[in-house]
Amino acid sequence: MTAQGDALAPAEAAGTPRLAILLAMAMFVLVVDTSLMNVSISAVTRDLDTTVSGVQSAIALEALVSAAFILTGSKIGDLFGRKRAYVLGLLGYAVGALAMALAQSLTVIIIFWAIVGGLGASLLLPSMQSLIHGNFEGPAQRKVYAMVGAAAAIAAAVGPLLGGFITTYLSWRVAFVLEAAVIAIVLSGANLVRDVPYTGPRRVDPVGAVLSIVGMGGVVLGILVWQEGGEAVGALIVIGAAALALLVTWLKRRKREGKPTLLDPDLFASRYFRLGVSQQMLQQIALGGLMIALPIYLQMVLEYDAMEAGLSLAPLSLTMFAIALLAGRKAGKRRPSSIIRGGFALVTLGVLALIATVPRADSGWYLLIPLVIAGAGLGLLVSQLNNYTLSPISDERVSEAAGVNSAAGSFGLSFGLAFAGAIMLATLSIAFTNKAQASDVLPQAEQQRVAHVLEHDAQVMSNTQLEEQLAGQPEEIQDEIVRINTDARPLALQVALVIPLLAALAGLLNSFRMVRLPDPERSGSGDAMAVV
C-alpha cells in the first residue's frame, strides 16, 4: 500500500474527543453568526448611522458569497489540503467577527464580514465534512456527525436568544468578540486535525468555477442592487441566469469529453438527489424570508429591542430544534417523503397565519402560534431532507454531493433574504407614495417630496425614528406621515412573507412527486451524512 493509502487507512482515523468538541464549536459559530446579525439589525443600524436595507443587504451578501464559492471552496480544499482550507476558513470567519466588533461603517461590514467571512464559510463547510470523514471512522464517525449536527441545531435554536441578550444588556459588538474568541479556541486545536489527502484527479475546471460564481452571484446580486435603487438590475439577473444555464451545458460537455468538471453532472441523474436538492433550496428560501422579515417587523414596527425580538422569535427556533430531534428519533417506519410533505404543509399553514396576523399584532405574543406551526414544519424538514438527499449517494461521491447540497441551501437562504427584503422595500415605497398622494392633509409639494425621497431611499423606519426626522414640520403633517407609515409597514411585511409562502407551497407540491417514488435505498454513508 502506498504512503497515501496508509494515511487513509481506518486504523489511522484516530480523531480525539477534544477534536470532536472543537468541530462542533466551529459549526456552532457558523450557524449562530447570522442569528446575531438578524436580532441586532436595529442596534447596528442605529450605531453605524446606516439603513435597515443596508444591513439586510450585508446579511444576504454573506450567505450569497458562501453559496457562490462553496463548490470552488471544496475543490480548493481538495487541491491545497482540507486541513489548510479548514484553518483558512476559520481565519476568514475570525476576520469577519473582529471587523464587526470594530466596525464604524457599513462598508467595513460588507467587505470583511459579508465577503471575507462568506469566503471563509465556503472553505470551512466542505473541509469540515471531509476532515470528519477522514479523522473518525465507524461509530465514532457517526457520533461526531451527530455532535456537529446537534451543535448546528442548538445554535439555530438559541442564537436569537443569545444574540438578543448580549445586544440588549451588553453590546452587539461583544457578541462578535465572543465569536472571535470561540474561533481562537477552535484554532488552538488545529494540531489535532490529521489532513485527509485527496486521491482524485488534480486537474481543475476554471470555467465551471467562474460560471457557478457568476450564476449564483448574478441572480442574488441583481436583487440586492434593485433593493438599493441601483441600475442594471435586469442585466445582472439575466447574466446570472444565463451563467447557470451555461454551467449545466458546460458540465455535461466536459463529462462527455472525459475532462475534469467542477461537479459531476451525473449526480443529478438520481431523481432522489434532484428532488432533495430542490427541496433543500426551497426550505432555505422560506427560512431566509422569515428570518429577515420577522426581525425587521419586531424591531421597526413593534420597536422591540434585541432581547425582546429574540424572545419573540424563540418559538420558531426552539420548536424547529425540538421537532427536528423528536422526528429524527421517532420517525419509525414513517416514510421520509411523507414527513417532508407534512413539514412543507405546516410551514405553509404557519406563514399563512403570520400574514393574517401581522396587521393586527401589537405584540410578539400574537405571533406565537403561527411561529410554533412554522417551526414544527421546518423541524420536520431539517430531520429528513439531508438524509433523503445524501443517503443513496456512494462513499466516493458523498463529499461532492454534500457540497452541492450545501451550495443549494446557501443559495436558497441568500435568495430568500435578498428577495423578501427587496420586495418588502419596494412594497413600502409604492404603498407610502400612493397613500401620500391620496392624502387630504399633505400639500401637493409634500406629496412630491415624499415620492422623491422614497424613490431613492426607501427603508423601514419605526415611528419614533420618523418623528425625529419630522421634527420642525407642522404637527398635522407629522401626524399624517406617521399614520401613513403605520398603515404601509404591515402591508409591506405581509407582501415580504409571500416569498416564504410561495417557497413552502412549491415545496409542498414537489413533495407529492417524492411520495410517488419508493424510499431511497441507503448507502454505507447514509447514517454518517444524516446531519451534515
Side-chain angles (χ1 to χ4, degrees), residues 77-154:
D78 290 344
L79 297 178
F80 296 100
R82 275 75 177 264
K83 179 178 178 178
R84 188 173 297 165
Y86 169 75
V87 171
L88 287 174
L90 287 170
L91 288 173
Y93 244 75
V95 167
L98 289 173
M100 285 298 301
L102 301 173
Q104 299 300 315
S105 70
L106 182 62
T107 303
V108 171
I109 292 177
I110 289 174
I111 293 173
F112 293 101
W113 181 78
I115 297 178
V116 176
L119 289 172
S122 72
L123 289 170
L124 185 57
L125 281 169
S127 62
M128 278 184 64
Q129 190 277 329
S130 296
L131 290 173
I132 293 172
H133 209 68
N135 280 264
F136 301 89
E137 57 95 20
Q141 186 185 89
R142 290 192 290 272
K143 183 178 179 180
V144 176
Y145 275 122
M147 285 180 64
V148 171
I154 292 169

Side-chain angles (χ1 to χ4, degrees), residues 245-266:
L246 283 172
L247 176 63
V248 174
T249 303
W250 173 261
L251 293 175
K252 290 180 177 178
R253 175 186 165 189
R254 297 275 288 186
K255 181 71 175 181
R256 285 196 305 269
E257 295 174 352
K259 296 178 179 179
T261 57
L262 178 69
L263 60 96
D264 187 351
D266 287 349

Side-chain angles (χ1 to χ4, degrees), residues 144-462:
V144 176
Y145 275 122
M147 285 180 64
V148 171
I154 292 169
V158 306
L161 291 171
L162 183 63
F165 179 85
I166 295 173
T167 300
T168 300
Y169 297 108
L170 296 171
S171 167
W172 56 273
R173 297 181 188 276
V174 172
F176 287 98
V177 169
L178 293 175
E179 186 177 303
V182 172
I183 295 172
I185 294 171
V186 175
L187 282 169
S188 71
N191 62 307
L192 299 174
V193 179
R194 183 180 61 82
D195 205 357
V196 182
Y198 175 64
T199 58
R202 303 195 70 82
R203 293 177 295 166
V204 296
D205 178 13
V207 174
V210 170
L211 288 174
S212 72
I213 293 167
V214 173
M216 288 188 281
V219 172
V220 178
L221 188 60
I223 296 170
L224 293 176
V225 170
W226 170 45
Q227 174 182 294
E228 293 299 313
E231 300 178 354
V233 171
L236 283 170
I237 294 175
V238 168
I239 290 171
L244 288 175
L246 283 172
L247 176 63
V248 174
T249 303
W250 173 261
L251 293 175
K252 290 180 177 178
R253 175 186 165 189
R254 297 275 288 186
K255 181 71 175 181
R256 285 196 305 269
E257 295 174 352
K259 296 178 179 179
T261 57
L262 178 69
L263 60 96
D264 187 351
D266 287 349
L267 282 172
F268 293 92
S270 166
R271 295 181 67 184
Y272 299 105
F273 187 75
R274 292 199 308 271
L275 284 169
V277 165
S278 64
Q279 294 291 68
Q280 182 79 255
M281 184 170 64
L282 290 169
Q283 177 215 353
Q284 291 297 319
I285 290 174
L287 180 60
L290 288 173
M291 293 311 292
I292 199 63
L294 292 175
I296 290 176
Y297 172 79
L298 292 165
Q299 294 174 74
M300 297 296 134
V301 177
L302 300 186
E303 302 195 34
Y304 278 6
D305 62 26
M307 185 64 195
E308 291 169 324
L311 286 170
S312 297
L313 291 172
L316 176 73
S317 54
L318 292 176
T319 303
M320 182 171 67
F321 173 57
I323 295 298
L325 289 181
L326 186 64
R329 294 173 180 174
K330 303 293 185 181
K333 296 183 178 180
R334 294 179 182 85
R335 299 185 62 196
S337 55
S338 297
I339 296 175
I340 291 169
R341 181 173 60 181
F344 276 114
L346 285 174
V347 175
T348 301
L349 181 61
V351 177
L352 279 171
L354 282 171
I355 292 173
T357 302
V358 161
R360 294 181 274 287
D362 57 7
S363 164
W365 286 105
Y366 285 84
L367 308 181
L368 176 62
I369 294 177
L371 289 179
V372 168
I373 295 171
L378 289 168
L380 290 176
L381 296 176
V382 167
S383 74
Q384 301 297 319
L385 269 178
N386 282 322
N387 248 347
Y388 183 94
T389 307
L390 299 174
S391 61
I393 304 298
S394 66
D395 285 337
E396 294 77 20
R397 306 171 75 189
V398 74
S399 178
E400 185 177 25
V404 175
N405 193 44
S406 296
S410 296
F411 176 74
L413 181 65
S414 64
F415 183 88
L417 288 166
F419 201 38
I423 289 292
M424 178 174 60
L425 292 174
T427 305
L428 179 68
S429 176
I430 294 169
F432 209 116
T433 300
N434 289 342
K435 289 178 182 293
Q437 291 175 343
S439 172
D440 296 327
V441 176
L442 297 180
Q444 185 70 25
E446 193 67 27
Q447 293 177 9
Q448 292 176 350
R449 190 179 73 83
V450 167
H452 178 75
V453 169
L454 284 174
E455 183 180 350
H456 295 89
D457 188 27
Q459 57 175 297
V460 181
M461 298 181 66
S462 68

